[in-house]
Amino acid sequence: MKILTTVKKVVDVELNIHVESGAIVEDGLQYVINAWDENAVEAAVVLKENNGAETTLVSLGGGDMTDIIRKCYAMGIDNGIHVDDPALEKADSSVYAKVLQKVYETGEYDLIITGKQAQDTDSGQTGIMLAEYLSIPCVSNVIEIQVVDDGNIKVSRLGDAGTEIVEVALPAVVTVSDSINEPRLPAMRGIMMAKKKKIETTDLAGLGTSYDEVGGNALKSEVVEFMKSETRQAGQKFEGDAAELAVKVVDLLANEAKVL
Amino acid sequence: MAKILVVADIKQGVLKGSTAELLSKAKALGAETAVVAIGSNIESLVPELVSAGSDTQYIADDAGLELFSAGPFATCVVEAANQFDADLVWFGFSESGKAAAPRVAARMDIACATEIIDVNLDNGIEITRPAIANKVLQKVKVNTDKLVAVVRAGAFEADESVSGSENVVKLPAPEADLKAVIKELLSDASGEIDLADADIVVSIGRGAKDQAGVDLVKGLASDLGAGFGSSRAMVDGGFMAHNKQVGQTGKIVAPTLYMAFGISGAIQHLAGMNGSKVILAVNKDPEAPIFNVADYGIVGDLFEVVPVLREEIKKVRG
Ligand SMILES: Cc1cc2nc3c(=O)[nH]c(=O)nc-3n(C[C@H](O)[C@H](O)[C@H](O)COP(=O)(O)OP(=O)(O)OC[C@H]3O[C@@H](n4cnc5c(N)ncnc54)[C@H](O)[C@@H]3O)c2cc1C
């Protein structure tokens, strides 16, 4: 089986993010691998270990991806492709999906695993759109993947009414939730080996396409302004005897906030 | 006049509140409204769909639609959107909506936005949505004539005075997706209060420690008739079902009162509950980030605090 996973480099959500005059202040930001993509990478490596597979990751976007691709190598990914095209800095989900479609077409993959969303946009669209453009099945928000045979997998998806067990014919796209696994911490040996592995770098022309063809010159939507989110203020915090505080807080909830 | 199609949010045969919220917002924008309801044995929902504020009801009612399958679901939405010539197609905040919206957008070749909290139609279509785990808001300009969007839970309020008119249009049953076949549904326990509907949500985190802790706080939740939720830690720990998880990967809730017991307040958890009207936090650690968003905070051991809270609440509620 040939598995393709997608990896995006995103702003570290654990750090403070400042907004000034409609834009995010770059100063002080750090970039990390999207957490849900790490779950996708782990899922691919687990399938490789249990069922045998060739695993390839692709990362889209300008800039240096060496650190995150090497991290995925150290986790057990076999091949890495970086589509390094500055034009992709300005892209919507549909554009990303169309670029991934080109990557898919060069590799004849059986299974594409993506994170359910990216931590910078929180959009959750790319993997699903990719499947639509490729006219192949897609199951999103997946928490378990089992191989049935060469042509089929069985996945569990968290849906609105419960856990849905879905049998999927390959090739297919699966987007994973963080509930699927706990990404491994790479071992030292893996880290050392990862340093020696090469990363294939290409761009849109290298994929036989152009920014125009993937819809980059006719973005369906674009962010025009960033704003601070309405942050809550810390309220009253009490320390002391638990019983007394409980009495006091119930009184406040009932008579001040009027929510009881 | 804009035309807004709302996809009815139906869970286990019940019409969820988000449908009325979205239709109310559509009416407030002065739009012509329609709803598309997809499922099996759902025609009895028509009166509710009308009173929720829809002027046309597209109904896809077929035995094959009983279990959710994103492909056929999207086919029904596209069919309704085309028949109605909708400018905006809105989904409520649900896993079905999140799965179907990008498909609908791809098939209609129009823009898609998830988790929108506001929309402005004065000059084309512009929406507002949170990003980066709720740390920022972004204003997004839509360049296509039409938009498919998933509306974030709690973004719009239902207006009781809104109503619609009955005009039922039946949709053909879509073809089944033979390449992604749902074999089984392991249903969530029924009879429990859906977190999304609850006026009060009581949640536990790793601080509840064990089954005794879970049961203790659950007792408080049932006293209050509240939804009983949790952080991911307690789901991972096997104490709580997946559908009880509050946060970015779970449910987004905006109740009148959210009570967090033994929850540290990780950014991914806050993203699911910081739209609550009032937040109470109980945590042993005075530095826990949950206190930064809590209106009322008790620094203390939940095992000592909860029993007293239960007694006191019984007193004030009678
Ligand atoms: C991609 C991604 C998505 C995620 N999605 C979610 C999500 O949807 N929802 C979610 O919740 N998390 C999510 N997480 C996990 C999140 O980052 C945190 O790990 C998780 O929320 C922590 O849960 P917790 O607060 O219960 O546990 P902890 O962080 O361990 O906190 C336990 C708290 O309990 C307190 N405590 C201990 N004993 C007591 C006591 N006796 N009385 C009172 N207080 C006590 C401690 O002081 C501490 O603050 C996600 C993470 C990632 C990477």
Side-chain angles (χ1 to χ4, degrees), chain A:
Chain A
M1 180 170 358
K2 284 181 76 176
I3 303 176
L4 180 68
T5 62
T6 59
V7 175
K8 189 177 187 188
K9 197 166 189 172
V10 296
V11 60
D12 186 346
V13 300
E14 301 295 339
L15 301 177
N16 283 330
I17 294 178
H18 301 284
V19 175
E20 246 175 58
S21 7
I24 290 175
V25 178
E26 278 292 320
D27 210 28
L29 294 185
Q30 279 185 29
Y31 290 86
V32 294
I33 174 171
N34 173 38
W36 284 289
D37 291 342
E38 229 174 305
N39 295 111
V41 165
E42 176 67 26
V45 173
V46 168
L47 286 175
K48 170 181 149 177
E49 288 168 347
N50 295 345
N51 301 87
E54 182 184 345
T55 54
T56 301
L57 78 78
V58 57
S59 192
L60 310 183
D64 189 7
M65 301 286 177
T66 318
D67 50 348
I68 66 167
I69 294 179
R70 291 216 193 288
K71 179 173 185 187
C72 297
Y73 280 164
M75 288 172 74
I77 292 288
D78 301 310
N79 320 302
I81 305 170
H82 177 195
V83 182
D84 185 1
D85 206 313
L88 292 174
E89 287 296 298
K90 218 171 171 320
D92 56 21
S93 303
S94 164
V95 170
Y96 281 131
K98 288 200 166 141
V99 177
L100 290 173
Q101 179 180 5
K102 295 289 171 189
V103 174
Y104 173 86
E105 284 163 357
T106 60
E108 290 173 26
Y109 300 94
D110 302 293
L111 176 61
I112 306 170
I113 310 178
T114 77
K116 73 172 183 122
Q117 69 196 56
Q119 288 174 295
D120 52 356
T121 63
D122 288 326
S123 279
Q125 301 174 20
T126 303
I128 300 171
M129 286 182 168
L130 170 63
E132 280 293 319
Y133 294 147
L134 288 170
S135 299
I136 62 175
C138 173
V139 185
S140 57
N141 205 26
V142 162
I143 56 164
E144 196 184 339
I145 307 174
Q146 278 173 282
V147 175
V148 175
D149 55 41
D150 277 354
N152 296 281
I153 55 171
K154 200 167 166 183
V155 301
S156 304
R157 162 179 198 276
L158 285 183
D160 290 320
T163 304
E164 301 161 3
I165 316 290
V166 189
E167 199 159 299
V168 191
L170 300 176
V173 176
V174 162
T175 83
V176 298
S177 157
D178 47 289
S179 305
I180 192 172
N181 56 39
E182 183 72 44
R184 70 193 65 195
L185 293 171
M188 199 32 118
R189 183 161 169 274
I191 295 171
M192 298 311 289
M193 304 241 296
K195 286 195 179 138
K196 296 192 201 110
K197 283 182 83 146
K198 84 177 227 308
I199 295 168
E200 181 188 331
T201 303
T202 185
D203 55 13
L204 294 180
L207 291 172
T209 187
S210 64
Y211 193 54
D212 197 39
E213 196 196 351
V214 295
N217 292 327
L219 293 178
K220 293 186 169 58
S221 65
E222 49 198 314
V223 178
V224 288
E225 188 186 344
F226 282 95
M227 293 163 289
K228 279 191 198 130
S229 60
E230 296 135 44
T231 44
R232 299 180 77 99
Q233 298 297 317
Q236 311 172 46
K237 184 168 76 180
F238 306 106
E239 290 185 58
D241 178 68
E244 277 170 34
L245 295 182
V247 175
K248 182 169 182 172
V249 165
V250 169
D251 178 54
L252 288 167
L253 289 174
N255 300 314
E256 186 180 81
K258 299 192 171 25
V259 290
L260 275 183

Side-chain angles (χ1 to χ4, degrees), chain A residues 14 35-36 39 119 178, chain B residues 204-209 230-234 236 245-251 261-270 282-285 288-290 300-303:
Chain A
E14 301 295 339
W36 284 289
N39 295 111
Q119 288 174 295
D178 47 289
Chain B
I204 50 166
R206 205 191 309 270
K209 216 158 50 199
S230 95
S231 71
R232 194 182 77 180
M234 293 308 273
D236 289 349
Q245 181 171 323
V246 172
Q248 263 204 309
T249 292
K251 297 273 183 324
F261 295 94
I263 293 177
S264 61
I267 176 85
Q268 295 88 356
H269 187 81
L270 300 184
V282 177
N283 197 303
K284 264 198 323 205
D285 173 9
I290 190 81
D301 186 336
L302 71 91
F303 290 89

Side-chain angles (χ1 to χ4, degrees), chain A residues 234-239, chain B residues 285-288 291-292 294-299:
Chain A
Q236 311 172 46
K237 184 168 76 180
F238 306 106
E239 290 185 58
Chain B
D285 173 9
E287 303 301 322
F291 287 125
N292 298 333
D295 302 278
Y296 302 103
I298 298 179
V299 179

